[in-house]
Amino acid sequence: MTKKILNKKQKIVISIVAAVLIIAIGISVYVVISKKSRTTVALAEVTVGDITETLKLSGTVNSENRASLEILDGTYVKSVNVRVGDAVKKGDVLATFDTSSLGDVVAQKHDNYNAAMSQYKKYSANASASFSQLESLSKQIKQKQKEVEELQKKVDAAKPRDDTPETVSLKKQLTELLGDSKLAGEIVDRIFSSGTQTSEILQHLENIINGANNQISSILKLLSVSDEEKQLISAQLELVELKARQGILKLQSGDTLASLYLSVAESAKEDLDKTVEAVNALKKGWIAEYDGIVSEVNIIPGETCRSAATANIDISSIIDLASGNTNVSDIVNALLGQTQSGITVEYYPFVVDFVLGKADIFKVSLDMPCRVTAADDTVVDGVVTYISPVATQSSGVNISSLIGSGSANGVDAKVTIEKPTSSVIIGLDVDVSIDVDSKDNVLIVPSEAVKNDSNGTYVYIYNSKTKRIKSSKVELGLSDDTRYEIVSGCEEGDTVITTVPTGTTLADGDKVKIVASK
């Protein structure tokens, strides 16, 4: 076989082709590897549009206009036209009654009031008399005090000195005889302070030692007092009685009991007026004053209601209760008896109580419209009707806060719902959305395009020619649920990175792979 020998020109061509193939293969490999290493991202365009910033909060529904219709003892219920949860309109008849037996109730209330006023007037008259007696009694006390002082001096002067050797020895013997105890010492001191002569004490002591008389009876004889001491004791007792009378007169002539008597009389009058008003309402039947919802029904047709029994006013019982620092209104309620609530209606409008954090206080103002979202996602209209001028401590959660819940100072506020639906339930939490600001024809980007870290607030702008990205610091304006207003840092038509795979980081100059656009 003959081996073909290539000429020089053929060798050159072959070398060139091989080199081209190697370069092509290298480029292909590089492109494949490069594409595999690029981060897959989504893009969005910076556009011009309108944006509204909405403050989102949570609050609790309450009623500020509640009617608790009270039934009186002995009232016969003819009809009940509502159930718990029923919506009522102004003018609707809620229930009707037979009030023919209520005359006695009103008469009893009249008697209670008349009795209370009579006792107050009687007390006032006695107080005036007591006041006039105080001056005379004060003079008697001064005289009696002077008499006591003079008698005390006489008694003290008549007592023998007990520091002589004879007396000291006698005391010691008698104390030992009686048992050498603390009680014995007190008895001996009392014997020697009673004014008994030493010779008498010696004689009694001798009798005790010789057993001539009973020991106890002999000692008791030594405890006899002089006439001056008897007068002193009598004067002291009279002084105590006079001072006690003075204390009673001061109490009777003072303002404390007068105020109590008057409070009882005023409460009885209030109770009478309330009863008359209730009877008149029962005669007409209970009628809804406004639109609202029934929250409580405690009566049924055909029953005769029995509430707390009506009591007669016993002023002595009231004074006894008052001495225990019981509130006067509580005393009167306890004695006059209580009516029971027959039907309770929560009248519209309802309110939502919520708290504004310090970052939102100056965004919200009175009369701002808002939207209230109930638990079933029903949305009703509301308006801001109250903002407290004073901050309070609150543990409420502001949904718009990036930090989350926690105890912080805030301002109490209210939103009024004029026409709540059945989904707006008193006591339940609702969401409140308030549009606090809006702008037209501004630069807007999706919220996920905005990055915020230690380097500041920025976006990544994508260059479609080089397929590389570059960060650009931005100044933000308003925001809504999904978008930010860009004040500076971007231009209309710029393409920005929105999303990247979890755990992936980007840097200036990175090439990226585009999978979707917004």
Side-chain angles (χ1 to χ4, degrees):
M1 181 176 178
T2 303
K3 186 176 180 181
K4 187 176 180 180
I5 298 175
L6 298 176
N7 58 33
K8 186 177 181 179
K9 185 176 181 180
Q10 289 175 325
K11 289 179 179 180
I12 292 171
V13 170
I14 291 172
S15 298
I16 293 172
V17 171
V20 169
L21 289 173
I22 292 172
I23 292 171
I25 292 171
I27 291 173
S28 299
V29 172
Y30 171 78
V31 170
V32 170
I33 295 174
S34 176
K35 284 186 176 181
K36 287 184 178 179
S37 64
R38 293 179 188 176
T39 301
T40 301
V41 298
L43 303 178
E45 185 178 349
V46 179
T47 59
V48 173
D50 304 334
I51 190 169
T52 298
E53 182 172 330
T54 301
L55 183 63
K56 293 189 175 181
L57 307 143
S58 64
T60 304
V61 180
N62 287 302
S63 170
E64 294 190 332
N65 187 10
R66 172 180 298 169
S68 184
L69 304 173
E70 296 179 343
I71 196 77
L72 296 177
D73 185 58
T75 304
Y76 177 79
V77 182
K78 294 170 65 176
S79 66
V80 179
N81 305 322
V82 292
R83 295 178 298 179
V84 173
D86 283 353
V88 296
K89 296 291 185 181
K90 179 180 179 179
D92 285 353
V93 178
L94 308 177
T96 59
F97 309 92
D98 181 355
T99 60
S100 57
S101 63
L102 297 182
D104 293 341
V105 175
V106 176
Q108 182 62 64
K109 300 293 184 180
H110 271 291
D111 291 343
N112 284 342
Y113 170 61
N114 291 335
M117 281 302 298
S118 175
Q119 292 178 3
Y120 169 66
K121 291 176 180 178
K122 180 179 178 181
Y123 174 81
S124 298
N126 291 337
S128 299
S130 297
F131 185 80
S132 64
Q133 295 176 32
L134 275 174
E135 185 176 357
S136 174
L137 189 61
S138 297
K139 292 180 180 179
Q140 294 180 50
I141 289 174
K142 288 181 179 179
Q143 293 174 355
K144 188 59 65 175
Q145 284 176 331
K146 186 177 181 180
E147 180 183 346
V148 168
E149 291 172 358
E150 292 176 351
L151 287 170
Q152 186 68 58
K153 291 178 181 178
K154 291 181 180 180
V155 170
D156 292 341
K159 290 181 179 179
R161 293 176 59 86
D162 58 359
D163 56 353
T164 62
E166 181 185 33
T167 302
V168 173
S169 176
L170 186 59
K171 277 188 175 183
K172 182 178 179 181
Q173 293 180 54
L174 187 55
T175 301
E176 291 175 353
L177 177 65
L178 296 177
D180 198 15
S181 64
K182 181 179 179 182
L183 178 59
E186 291 176 355
I187 293 174
V188 170
D189 288 338
R190 183 69 183 90
I191 290 172
F192 279 89
S193 65
S194 66
T196 305
Q197 297 298 317
T198 303
S199 59
E200 295 180 43
I201 296 174
L202 290 172
Q203 182 61 52
H204 283 292
L205 181 58
E206 184 179 351
N207 292 336
I208 293 171
I209 293 172
N210 295 330
N213 295 307
N214 179 271
Q215 178 176 326
I216 295 177
S217 62
S218 298
I219 293 174
L220 289 176
K221 288 180 181 180
L222 300 180
L223 299 178
S224 61
V225 296
S226 65
D227 291 340
E228 286 81 2
E229 281 188 296
K230 291 180 181 178
Q231 293 176 22
L232 175 60
I233 294 172
S234 177
Q236 287 174 330
L237 292 175
E238 290 177 8
L239 182 59
V240 170
E241 182 182 357
L242 289 173
K243 287 185 175 181
R245 286 176 57 195
Q246 183 185 46
I248 294 173
L249 288 174
K250 284 183 177 179
L251 180 63
Q252 291 177 343
S253 61
D255 294 333
T256 303
L257 283 179
S259 298
L260 178 58
Y261 274 88
L262 182 58
S263 295
V264 172
E266 289 174 344
S267 296
K269 180 62 167 62
E270 182 181 346
D271 185 54
L272 170 60
D273 294 341
K274 185 179 178 180
T275 301
V276 172
E277 182 181 351
V279 170
N280 291 335
L282 290 168
K283 288 179 179 178
K284 297 176 182 177
W286 285 343
I287 299 173
E289 298 180 24
Y290 310 97
D291 294 355
I293 189 167
V294 178
S295 62
E296 190 176 354
V297 176
N298 296 316
I299 54 176
I300 58 176
E303 73 170 345
T304 299
C305 296
R306 299 295 176 190
S307 61
T310 302
N312 294 323
I313 294 180
D314 179 1
I315 201 70
S316 61
S317 299
I318 293 176
I319 294 174
D320 289 341
L321 288 172
S323 64
N325 296 322
T326 307
N327 186 280
V328 172
S329 61
D330 294 338
I331 295 171
V332 175
N333 286 336
L335 294 175
L336 295 179
Q338 296 289 313
T339 54
Q340 71 177 47
S341 175
I343 295 177
T344 301
V345 183
E346 312 289 351
Y347 287 132
Y348 301 148
F350 289 170
V351 297
V352 179
D353 295 314
F354 62 98
V355 176
L356 289 170
K358 63 181 181 180
D360 304 319
I361 292 171
F362 300 106
K363 296 179 181 179
V364 180
S365 59
L366 294 176
D367 301 323
M368 270 189 170
C370 60
R371 298 173 299 283
V372 177
T373 304
D376 63 351
D377 294 329
T378 300
V379 179
V380 296
D381 294 330
V383 63
V384 178
T385 54
Y386 173 77
I387 300 175
S388 173
V390 180
T392 57
Q393 193 75 12
S394 171
S395 58
V397 179
N398 184 338
I399 296 177
S400 66
S401 172
L402 297 177
I403 299 175
S405 63
S407 179
N409 290 331
V411 167
D412 291 335
K414 296 180 186 292
V415 162
T416 296
I417 308 172
E418 291 289 345
K419 297 180 179 179
T421 65
S422 58
S423 300
V424 181
I425 300 173
I426 292 174
L428 287 185
D429 290 343
V430 292
D431 295 329
V432 178
S433 301
I434 307 173
D435 295 339
V436 295
D437 200 358
S438 63
K439 291 183 181 179
D440 299 334
N441 299 318
V442 295
L443 293 178
I444 295 173
V445 297
S447 57
E448 59 264 30
V450 178
K451 316 300 179 186
N452 198 338
D453 56 28
S454 59
N455 295 320
T457 302
Y458 58 93
V459 298
Y460 284 111
I461 298 177
Y462 174 73
N463 189 320
S464 59
K465 293 181 180 179
T466 63
K467 302 189 185 306
R468 296 182 184 275
I469 61 173
K470 181 180 180 181
S471 64
S472 176
K473 289 190 175 182
V474 294
E475 179 184 352
L476 302 179
L478 302 183
S479 66
D480 59 18
D481 289 340
T482 60
R483 304 174 302 164
Y484 278 108
E485 173 199 1
I486 300 296
V487 178
S488 64
C490 290
E491 296 180 359
E492 182 181 3
D494 282 348
T495 302
V496 294
I497 305 298
T498 56
T499 57
V500 297
T502 303
T504 302
T505 59
L506 297 175
D508 281 1
D510 283 354
K511 277 193 172 184
V512 293
K513 181 180 180 182
I514 311 303
V515 296
S517 297
K518 289 189 176 181

